[in-house]
Amino acid sequence: MKTHYALVSLLLTANVSYVSGSMAADIERNNSRNLYFGETHMHTAYSLDAFIGGTRQTPGDAYRAARGERVVVNGQPHQIRRPLDFAAVTDHAEYIGEMYSALNSNAPGHDNPLIKQLLGLDDIKEREQWFFKYVISNNRGDKPGHTEFFAGEDTVKSAWQLAIDAAQTHYKPGQFTTFIAYEWSGAPKGGNLHRNVLFRGEQAPEMPMSYIDIDREDGLWGWLATLEGEGIR
C-alpha cells in the first residue's frame, strides 16, 4: 500500500489522533479539493464489545462493505447505496489478542474454556454479564489489564497483522483509500478518552499500544512521537 492522502483535507471527529500523508505518485493532485466521503471509526469481530453485541464481520468484510459490496450482517444482506471513498477499521487495541484466539481455531488459547464460553454466548443476560465484567469493570477500572484468557503478546501481533493486511489489500489508488488504524480506548474512571490512531502509509508499528499498555493520553502522544522519529507516521 503506497503512502497516500485520503485525497482531500479531511474534517474528522475529535477522537482521531493522526491523519496526514503524501499523495500516491500516480494520482494527479486536484487543486479544487473535491469533497470525499468516508468512515474512520469501524469495529469488527476483533473488538470484544462488538463481538459480544453480535458483530461477526472481519476487517476485510468491513472494507468490502465500505467499497459498496454486499455483505451479510446478522443473516441479512446489506449494501450501502454509494461506495465510500476512504475508510479505516479501528478495532479496540484492548483485547484484540483475546479475540484473535477466539476467532482462529489454530491460535494459542483457542481451547481456553472462557473462549469457548465467549463463542457460545447467545443469551442477552450472558452478554450483559460479559460486557460489564470485561469492558466496563476492567477497562474502566483503576487498573485495566488483559483478561484471564489472554494467551500472550503474539496474539496481539497476529491480530494487528490481519488488520494491516486487510488495509493493504483493499487500498485502490485513486478509487478507495484505506488507513492502517486502531482505537486506543482510554476510559479513566469511566470517562470516554478514546482516540483513533491512523497511520498515513504502509509502515506501522509491530503492535498497537492499548490503554492497558499506556494508560495516559500524553503517554500515547509520546509513543507516537517516538514512532515518528523512527519514520513511522
Side-chain angles (χ1 to χ4, degrees):
M1 183 174 69
K2 298 178 182 178
T3 305
H4 50 271
Y5 275 138
L7 313 180
V8 64
S9 298
L10 304 180
L11 297 177
L12 303 179
T13 54
N15 69 335
V16 176
S17 296
Y18 207 101
V19 177
S20 62
S22 57
M23 187 173 295
D26 56 347
I27 305 302
E28 184 179 353
R29 178 181 294 275
N30 185 337
N31 292 325
S32 297
R33 294 188 176 183
N34 292 346
L35 182 61
Y36 293 87
F37 296 87
E39 176 60 73
T40 58
H41 192 171
M42 297 195 297
H43 293 303
T44 75
Y46 282 85
S47 287
L48 176 59
D49 56 351
F51 185 88
I52 291 174
T55 300
R56 297 296 182 267
Q57 285 63 49
T58 66
D61 293 331
Y63 286 124
R64 281 188 286 273
R67 292 176 61 188
E69 296 183 24
R70 181 172 295 186
V71 296
V72 176
V73 180
N74 294 328
Q76 298 295 323
H78 291 268
Q79 186 175 22
I80 59 177
R81 290 190 297 272
R82 174 183 172 179
L84 299 181
D85 300 305
F86 61 90
V89 169
T90 54
D91 279 315
H92 297 291
E94 301 75 22
Y95 318 135
I96 63 168
E98 285 90 332
M99 294 314 302
Y100 181 81
S101 294
L103 298 171
N104 297 274
S105 60
N106 61 343
H110 183 75
D111 58 351
N112 187 296
L114 285 173
I115 291 286
K116 300 301 183 184
Q117 183 181 347
L118 172 62
L119 294 175
L121 293 178
D122 58 4
D123 179 84
I124 185 62
K125 291 185 178 179
E126 291 180 342
R127 291 174 184 241
E128 287 179 345
Q129 290 172 353
W130 266 74
F131 184 81
F132 281 106
K133 179 176 181 178
Y134 293 110
V135 179
I136 294 182
S137 297
N138 184 15
N139 202 52
R140 298 180 186 179
D142 293 332
K143 295 182 179 180
H146 280 288
T147 67
E148 58 268 43
F149 51 93
F150 179 54
E153 189 175 276
D154 284 346
T155 60
V156 176
K157 294 178 181 178
S158 294
W160 179 232
Q161 189 60 53
L162 286 177
I164 292 173
D165 291 346
Q168 292 177 336
T169 297
H170 291 277
Y171 171 53
K172 305 299 178 186
Q175 301 176 24
F176 182 69
T177 297
T178 60
F179 295 95
I180 298 171
Y182 77 94
E183 184 170 2
W184 178 85
S185 310
K189 298 182 179 179
N192 189 319
L193 197 63
H194 294 194
R195 296 291 181 263
N196 285 343
V197 179
L198 280 67
F199 296 95
R200 69 186 187 183
E202 63 182 356
Q203 292 185 312
E206 184 178 30
M207 59 183 286
M209 289 292 103
S210 72
Y211 183 53
I212 297 170
D213 306 304
I214 301 175
D215 63 0
R216 288 181 57 87
E217 187 180 18
D218 53 2
L220 175 65
W221 305 143
W223 176 66
L224 291 173
T226 298
L227 289 180
E228 186 170 5
E230 298 172 354
I232 301 174
R233 302 177 178 181

